[in-house]
Amino acid sequence: MLMLLTLAVGEAHAQAIQYEQADSLQVMQLLSEARGLTNETNWMLHFGRRLRGIPYVAKTLEKNEQEQLVVNLRQLDCTTFVESVLALALCRQNGQYQFKDYCEYLRKIRYREGTIGYPTRLHYFSEWIADNTRMGFVRELQGPNPPFTRIQTLQTDYMTQHVSQYPMLVRNPSWVEEISSMEQALCGQKVRYIPKESIRNTRLFRQTIHNGDIIAITTSKKGLDTSHIGIAVWHKDGLHLLNASQIRKKVVEEPMTLYTYMQKHPSQVGIRIVSVVRN
């Protein structure tokens, strides 16, 4: 059954949260289980693995006439997977165990300055990184060099050049101008990344990238900055990706190394690394 909950935002505003009872029950169960674990637990890895097997479904945030905070742990894409895991991790590391706490973190993670609206949703992951860094939730690694040997100059206009792919933009054309302004603000920014051909199972890489870091895959597709995100997991044979996989149609810990995975995708250029800030 679809449910709505009102979330207080500041002193004068309230926002509806869309979810099903199964979502709130799962959040409460996951946080209750984690409450009994040591504080040294890697929460991104822990919660990411607890969500394995959940079906991959795209565009779960695009179905409403007006933007609402959608909580859906029954269906995940690569972005909502990482956002959900981060919200759970922040709840546990800050000792907050209520569903409303999870929703509050998810709102701040997903929307620019926590303001719910389609134009303020953090559609491009570069803006997502910047806003979540401002919130103190994450920080992006820009060194050492090596392995961060390449520079990406952002050229973002994919959404405004492909409006037909975004149902809510089609229904609300007045938002296109706001999206365009956001894209232009990103254009020209430079970020360092690790080229995919240099990914190695070495001490340098293991000291640079850690379990639970967020991996953002850079792309050569025109108008985009990144094309996929997931969570870093080291195995004996190298770096792997815990992700909501469109190919495998569910959340999985990829059995192949990230290096092998990326060789199968010509448009994937390299990786940006984002660490979650621990208290």
Side-chain angles (χ1 to χ4, degrees):
M1 178 186 298
L2 192 64
M3 306 178 75
L4 292 175
L5 174 72
T6 299
L7 177 69
V9 180
E11 297 181 355
H13 302 283
Q15 294 285 352
I17 306 168
Q18 180 181 306
Y19 67 102
E20 291 192 5
Q21 187 176 29
D23 300 310
S24 59
L25 290 175
Q26 185 172 15
V27 167
M28 295 299 292
Q29 180 181 348
L30 289 168
L31 291 176
S32 177
E33 292 173 357
R35 196 168 191 167
L37 300 177
T38 174
N39 289 337
E40 282 67 48
T41 300
N42 187 313
W43 298 118
M44 290 295 290
L45 195 53
H46 169 77
F47 287 119
R49 283 175 164 167
R50 290 288 284 111
L51 297 181
R52 285 179 296 188
I54 292 177
Y56 176 96
V57 178
K59 300 186 184 298
T60 58
L61 307 184
E62 304 294 322
K63 298 178 180 179
N64 297 317
E65 288 296 325
Q66 294 295 321
E67 188 79 3
Q68 295 177 329
L69 179 63
V70 174
V71 177
N72 185 347
L73 289 177
R74 296 157 285 107
Q75 304 166 318
L76 296 167
D77 62 25
C78 69
T79 301
T80 59
F81 167 66
V82 168
E83 289 178 337
S84 299
V85 172
L86 179 57
L88 288 164
L90 291 171
C91 279
R92 177 56 183 84
Q93 73 181 41
N94 290 294
Q96 296 174 278
Y97 301 101
Q98 301 302 311
F99 181 60
K100 65 178 179 63
D101 300 322
Y102 171 84
C103 294
E104 180 71 7
Y105 279 121
L106 190 62
R107 174 180 67 84
K108 292 176 179 178
I109 290 166
R110 183 171 290 166
Y111 295 97
R112 188 185 314 129
E113 298 182 352
T115 302
I116 297 175
Y118 187 86
T120 54
R121 197 197 306 166
L122 300 167
H123 297 279
Y124 289 90
F125 204 64
S126 293
E127 191 189 20
W128 189 101
I129 294 169
D131 200 70
N132 278 270
T133 297
R134 183 189 62 79
M135 294 294 299
F137 297 155
V138 303
R139 65 180 183 88
E140 182 171 14
L141 277 63
Q142 292 288 278
N145 178 7
F148 289 88
T149 58
R150 300 277 177 83
I151 294 176
Q152 179 188 35
T153 302
L154 303 185
Q155 297 295 332
T156 46
D157 65 358
Y158 189 89
M159 290 182 70
T160 52
Q161 293 298 314
H162 302 84
V163 170
S164 63
Q165 296 182 19
Y166 299 89
M168 291 187 76
L169 270 186
V170 172
R171 294 194 295 269
N172 299 274
S174 62
W175 293 344
V176 173
E177 185 175 349
E178 291 181 73
I179 297 296
S180 178
S181 295
M182 174 268 294
E183 290 175 335
Q184 291 173 31
L186 290 173
C187 284
Q189 294 183 22
K190 298 180 184 297
V191 294
R192 301 196 74 89
Y193 70 94
I194 301 169
K196 68 180 182 182
E197 61 270 16
S198 71
I199 297 173
R200 295 288 184 270
N201 184 15
T202 64
R203 178 179 296 181
L204 173 62
F205 272 82
R206 286 179 177 266
Q207 290 175 341
T208 302
I209 305 170
H210 299 97
N211 283 333
D213 284 351
I214 299 168
I215 294 177
I217 296 179
T218 58
T219 181
S220 60
K221 290 182 179 178
K222 182 175 172 56
L224 287 175
D225 52 348
T226 63
S227 59
H228 190 54
I229 61 173
I231 296 170
V233 186
W234 284 101
H235 293 194
K236 286 185 178 181
D237 64 345
L239 184 62
H240 291 243
L241 191 68
L242 174 58
N243 70 129
S245 170
Q246 185 177 16
I247 296 171
R248 301 186 186 277
K249 298 180 171 56
K250 61 183 178 181
V251 176
V252 297
E253 192 166 324
E254 290 290 346
M256 69 183 78
T257 65
L258 181 62
Y259 175 87
T260 301
Y261 172 90
M262 292 185 69
Q263 306 314 307
K264 298 177 181 292
H265 300 276
S267 65
Q268 295 182 353
V269 176
I271 56 175
R272 295 167 64 180
I273 305 298
V274 181
S275 293
V276 176
V277 175
R278 295 290 295 251
N279 293 340

